[in-house]
Amino acid sequence: MAATAQFSHQPHLSKTLTNPLSQNPFPKSFVFAPRVTKTTAKSLSLKAVLSQDSAKSKTVAQETTPFKHCFNKSSDGFLYCENLRVEDIMENVEKRPFYLYSKPQITRNFEAYRDALEGLRSIIGYAIKANNNLKILEHLRKLGCGAVLVSGNELKLALHAGFDPTRCIFNGNGKILEDLVLAAQEGVFVNVDSEFDLENIVAAARIAGKKVNVLLRINPDVDPQVHPYVATGNKSSKFGIRNEKLQWFLDAVKAHPNELKLVGAHCHLGSTITKVDIFQDAAVLMVNYIDQIRDQGFEVDYLNIGGGLGIDYHHAGAVLPSPRDLIDTVQELVLSRNLNLIIEPGRSLIANTCCLVNRVTGVKTNGTKNFVVIDGSMAELIRPSLYGAYQHIELVSPTPPEAEVSTFDVVGPVCESADFLGKDRELPTPDKGTGLVVHDAGAYCMSMASTYNLKMRPPEYWVEEDGSVSKIRHGETFEDHLRLFQGL
């Protein structure tokens, strides 16, 4: 049963919501009422779950924020997730780094794609590699998503989450036979990435006794103008077939009519793309390839343009393309060839729905550099260390007026000089124990987390539509690590 409490002017929640950590007594979900401050005294009558009438009135945080975002800094200096103070959530969950999501923001992000695709036959295939939390997958499946997979285990997870396998796409440049057999048995679309990949798909079809619907993943040699680690559609990439080899693959498909049915073409340019004309350039090339394929008698009905739409990691007010901007650039081409459109969003569906929430361990200087040391690290969130990626960082609560503003590197406790979450960030000097968040952590963060230095992967929570907070993944423990060696 969800616990509820009415906040007062005291700095901590009611004792009925706090429990000894050793007992791990946190309920599956718990509901908060907005904390009352002098500036929000009229909200005393608000309940934890807002009524429809009260939901119509905007909170202070929503009125003052320059970003349309589920995480907002209010005029009271506190960071909110939807209508809940992140600091209050911190006081009622495990005292360790954790990921905090907004379930309503996930819905809003999906609806942006769904609305943009109105009038087109389409599949929104969520890229599970971005975030493989089972509860998130189940929610996206209920909203209408298909799934994009790059491993056999992701396929198994998609099936476990209830995805329709005929709305799933299996990608990858090194798919192994046993995983392809499962894909063939379930009726999943499979992208052909190479000569040996095609051979393995044929073998899998024979083992499964089923014809496989395949798309040719063509490398269009379009520069997505992104970090080279996340560029996948140029000639130097390991992904896809060379466009000059197209005829060889068409002949190979013709030679295996009992095993393969060619249903479409696929390309994927890269990730964090901020210019939609790049997608249009690729789509022009791809429909020309589809014309060539159709000229040889193939009934291809699908164009898969991949994913890769970027987000505003810098929180600097940049106007970035929306899902509608993306779809508008390719819609006429898709309609002109009477195609089904497949898109593969990952980051743009999930990244901005989440923060990694940490606590400040202390502040130090080496004489030339200032450091904010937190309990989170590259083990929980590796993107800055791996790509030099920027993710916005801020404190969850107001600092005293006398707190000095300085330039800090925000670092963790892992024994690596690469263990940083952000460099050269201007922040008020925080006190020990202060909450600090790394924004836009929903994609390629928890899914890439590790147990380096035996920092166990963190728990995950989300704010539900009714204002409650639910745990959606248990944090790993030292005992979990020891269990891997039992009986050996």
Side-chain angles (χ1 to χ4, degrees), residues 7-8 35 101 126 154 260 264 276 292 302 336 444 446 487:
F7 292 169
S8 66
R35 184 191 290 259
Y101 299 81
Y126 169 65
E154 286 189 354
L260 306 176
V276 292
Q292 295 176 38
Y302 292 89
S336 71
Y444 306 103
M446 181 60 173

Side-chain angles (χ1 to χ4, degrees), residues 132-448:
N132 55 32
N133 183 288
L134 178 60
K135 297 300 183 183
I136 291 172
L137 297 185
E138 290 173 341
H139 180 55
L140 287 170
R141 185 260 303 163
K142 289 175 185 175
L143 290 173
C145 268
V148 175
L149 325 157
V150 291
S151 74
N153 282 340
E154 286 189 354
L155 172 52
K156 292 173 186 175
L157 186 62
L159 296 173
H160 185 82
F163 283 92
D164 178 352
T166 65
R167 292 173 58 81
C168 293
I169 304 95
F170 193 9
N171 287 334
N173 71 309
K175 301 183 285 290
I176 63 174
L177 183 59
E178 64 180 277
D179 295 341
L180 287 168
V181 170
L182 177 60
Q185 290 169 340
E186 297 293 338
V188 171
F189 290 109
V190 179
N191 282 323
V192 178
D193 193 87
S194 65
E195 292 88 343
F196 71 77
D197 195 35
L198 186 142
E199 292 174 5
N200 284 336
I201 297 168
V202 169
R206 290 171 178 166
I207 294 169
K210 289 189 176 181
K211 186 181 292 189
V212 179
N213 290 324
V214 297
L215 294 85
L216 296 179
R217 178 168 181 168
I218 300 172
N219 187 324
D221 195 22
V222 172
D223 181 7
Q225 301 174 33
V226 297
H227 191 287
Y229 285 10
V230 293
T232 59
N234 48 34
K235 274 197 171 179
S236 61
S237 171
K238 72 176 184 176
F239 299 101
I241 66 175
R242 303 196 312 274
N243 49 44
E244 60 265 28
K245 288 275 290 184
L246 176 59
Q247 189 59 54
W248 185 94
F249 283 91
L250 296 179
D251 291 340
V253 172
K254 290 175 187 176
H256 297 94
N258 297 322
E259 293 85 13
L260 306 176
K261 181 180 180 182
L262 181 58
V263 298
H266 170 262
C267 71
H268 191 289
L269 304 178
S271 196
T272 68
I273 297 172
T274 58
K275 297 178 181 178
V276 292
D277 57 346
I278 293 170
F279 288 98
Q280 186 176 40
D281 293 343
V284 169
L285 292 172
M286 294 303 295
V287 295
N288 285 333
Y289 292 133
I290 286 175
D291 289 342
Q292 295 176 38
I293 296 168
R294 283 176 168 175
D295 286 344
Q296 298 195 32
F298 292 100
E299 297 179 2
V300 291
D301 297 318
Y302 292 89
L303 171 62
N304 185 337
I305 60 169
L309 197 62
I311 67 164
D312 182 16
Y313 277 112
H314 285 264
H315 287 215
V319 179
L320 296 180
S322 66
R324 184 171 296 279
D325 294 327
L326 167 59
I327 301 306
D328 284 349
T329 65
V330 302
Q331 182 169 6
E332 286 188 18
L333 286 166
V334 173
L335 290 172
S336 71
R337 303 307 198 277
N338 194 27
L339 292 164
N340 294 273
L341 180 66
I342 300 174
I343 56 172
E344 302 179 346
R347 183 188 318 274
S348 55
L349 271 180
I350 198 69
N352 71 354
T353 70
C354 176
C355 282
L356 175 65
V357 184
N358 313 269
R359 286 178 173 79
V360 173
T361 304
V363 177
K364 65 179 290 188
T365 181
N366 64 7
T368 57
K369 270 273 188 183
N370 302 317
F371 300 93
V372 173
V373 184
I374 60 174
D375 54 357
S377 70
M378 66 184 290
E380 290 85 5
L381 195 158
I382 199 173
R383 289 186 72 252
S385 300
L386 182 61
Y387 303 125
Y390 180 98
Q391 292 184 232
H392 188 59
I393 290 173
E394 64 182 327
L395 304 177
V396 306
S397 56
T399 51
E402 66 275 11
E404 182 180 355
V405 175
S406 296
T407 301
F408 295 95
D409 283 5
V410 179
V411 300
V414 162
C415 193
E416 293 283 345
S417 295
D419 179 26
F420 62 90
L421 283 301
K423 289 191 172 184
D424 298 322
R425 305 299 178 89
E426 257 195 22
L427 294 168
T429 303
D431 292 331
K432 178 180 179 180
T434 299
L436 177 149
V437 300
V438 181
H439 279 282
D440 303 309
Y444 306 103
C445 293
M446 181 60 173
S447 65
M448 298 175 76

